[in-house]
Amino acid sequence: MIGPLSRRAALALGAGALAAPLAVTTARARRAYDIRPEPIGDGVWLARGLDEPITAQNGGAIANVVIFDTREGAVLVDAGPSRAYGEALRAAARELTGKPVARVYLTHIHADHVFGAGAFTPDTVWTTAALRDDLAARGDALADAMYRVAGDWMRGTETPAPARAVGAETEDVGERRFRFLPLAGHTGSDLCLFEERSGLLVAGDLAFLDRAPTTPDADLGLWRSALDTLAPISARRLCPGHGPAEAGSRGLKQTRDWLDMIEERIDDGFERGLDVIELMAEPLPAWTDRLAVARYEFARSVMHRLPRLERERLPARSA
Ligand SMILES: [Zn+2]
């Protein structure tokens, strides 16, 4: 029997230790990630995440990962949700470039972006000091949460410990130059990268395109400032953390419009005295119809933002 073991620990022990309910889950969920990177530039590919929430069916494979070919090896931006995903990514990068992975940059703490990093040599994994500290402080709790949602897909996954902290600097890998843009707003630390040779701006989750943004860890003011920083960069192409890569800045504009919309709707609902359930059922503007999971993400935003407004703006009950 499982007893006090967490589900994660039980999975780590292997199938022999699994109680019947978990074994059923295992049999149902065990399958391989299907990673099919598409070219988005000369020697650059995008492994597109699914435009879905994280589920036991998709194993958390919802975030974009960018793969660059360089003379010195493949360079990845983000690593996907699990060790198994990272291993599939490593194989895909080897197939595309004929070389091992020289560098993995992590953009931010969300599980769908970072937990694949365990499949790579620790020395190759770099990110900001703030994200490195954040992973050390709460990475294991986030991994546990992912184990609960994605189950067997997460087998063997551990919290990555990036070897190097980067600031606002550049790194040359082979013939490519990566300019780091350490920003914040979607989370407490969002690392964007501009690669000069390809002209590709990798925005991480500061940009979403045709998929509604997630805001549970967001600071909307900082997020807008970060969009102000990204907007003037003359990129040939923008790659969002979720959604297609394309020329132009549609991802930045759409993300800003979404942030403005949820702030306005939720503040308005608060002023009108709506509760969470009533506010979640409010109509959304027609332009959001073409965004995947708009209703789902709006509901999540209501669930964390409305209680915060109530705490901040309603008078405290006297003792
Ligand atoms: Zn995110």
Side-chain angles (χ1 to χ4, degrees):
M1 71 164 258
I2 299 291
L5 277 176
S6 71
R7 181 165 186 194
R8 180 182 184 192
L11 286 169
L13 288 173
L18 294 174
L22 277 178
V24 171
T25 306
T26 301
R28 180 168 55 79
R30 192 69 177 165
R31 71 204 92 167
Y33 290 105
D34 184 20
I35 298 178
R36 299 182 191 194
E38 57 197 57
I40 58 168
D42 189 15
V44 190
W45 297 267
L46 171 60
R48 270 272 272 132
L50 299 164
D51 293 326
E52 299 172 1
I54 295 169
T55 66
Q57 283 68 46
N58 62 34
I62 65 166
N64 286 343
V65 176
V66 180
I67 303 168
F68 292 91
D69 187 18
T70 84
R71 277 198 304 269
E72 291 179 16
V75 173
L76 309 187
V77 182
D78 280 335
S82 63
R83 185 181 181 92
Y85 189 97
E87 286 170 354
L89 205 49
R90 197 179 58 204
R94 164 73 83 167
E95 190 156 312
L96 290 168
T97 67
K99 300 171 206 119
V101 171
R103 182 73 64 240
V104 181
Y105 300 119
L106 299 180
T107 62
H108 69 289
I109 191 146
H110 286 156
D112 47 327
H113 297 258
V114 294
F115 286 119
F120 301 93
T121 314
D123 281 0
T124 65
V125 181
W126 290 17
T127 190
T128 64
L131 177 53
R132 193 168 67 170
D133 293 349
D134 214 5
L135 281 167
R138 61 193 185 102
D140 286 354
L142 286 170
D144 284 342
M146 268 301 276
Y147 271 85
R148 285 194 290 277
V149 177
D152 193 56
W153 291 98
M154 298 297 289
R155 187 187 295 264
T157 301
E158 297 293 339
T159 302
R164 177 82 77 92
V166 305
E169 60 204 70
T170 60
E171 189 196 11
D172 292 345
V173 186
E175 70 281 32
R176 294 192 188 273
R177 172 162 295 174
F178 295 88
R179 197 198 318 161
F180 305 135
L181 301 148
L183 298 165
H186 172 68
T187 65
S189 176
D190 295 287
L191 177 64
C192 300
L193 296 105
F194 179 66
E195 198 285 299
E196 293 182 2
R197 189 181 178 92
S198 60
L200 182 68
L201 176 59
V202 186
D205 278 7
L206 288 171
F208 284 69
L209 183 56
D210 298 336
R211 194 273 189 211
T214 64
T215 65
D217 297 315
D219 178 315
L220 300 187
L222 286 178
W223 197 333
R224 290 189 185 98
S225 299
L227 293 171
D228 289 341
T229 301
L230 297 176
I233 296 171
S234 54
R236 215 168 292 156
R237 196 178 273 251
L238 172 76
C239 185
H242 299 260
E246 63 175 39
S249 56
R250 203 165 61 92
L252 301 181
K253 181 179 184 313
Q254 200 183 76
T255 301
R256 184 185 295 273
D257 288 348
W258 178 270
L259 301 183
D260 291 349
M261 185 277 291
I262 61 165
E263 185 172 50
E264 187 189 303
R265 300 264 158 160
I266 297 172
D267 286 23
D268 175 68
F270 169 75
E271 295 298 335
R272 287 158 54 210
L274 302 185
D275 65 23
V276 166
I277 302 297
E278 291 165 335
L279 185 45
M280 283 184 341
E282 287 279 289
L284 295 180
W287 66 266
T288 65
D289 288 352
R290 63 176 182 274
L291 270 56
V293 297
R295 178 55 63 183
Y296 170 82
E297 292 296 350
F298 179 70
R300 288 178 82 202
S301 296
V302 169
M303 280 190 282
H304 66 80
R305 185 169 175 83
L306 187 62
R308 195 194 312 159
L309 289 178
E310 289 169 348
R311 275 196 307 277
E312 288 170 3
R313 297 191 190 172
L314 291 179
R317 196 156 48 108
S318 55

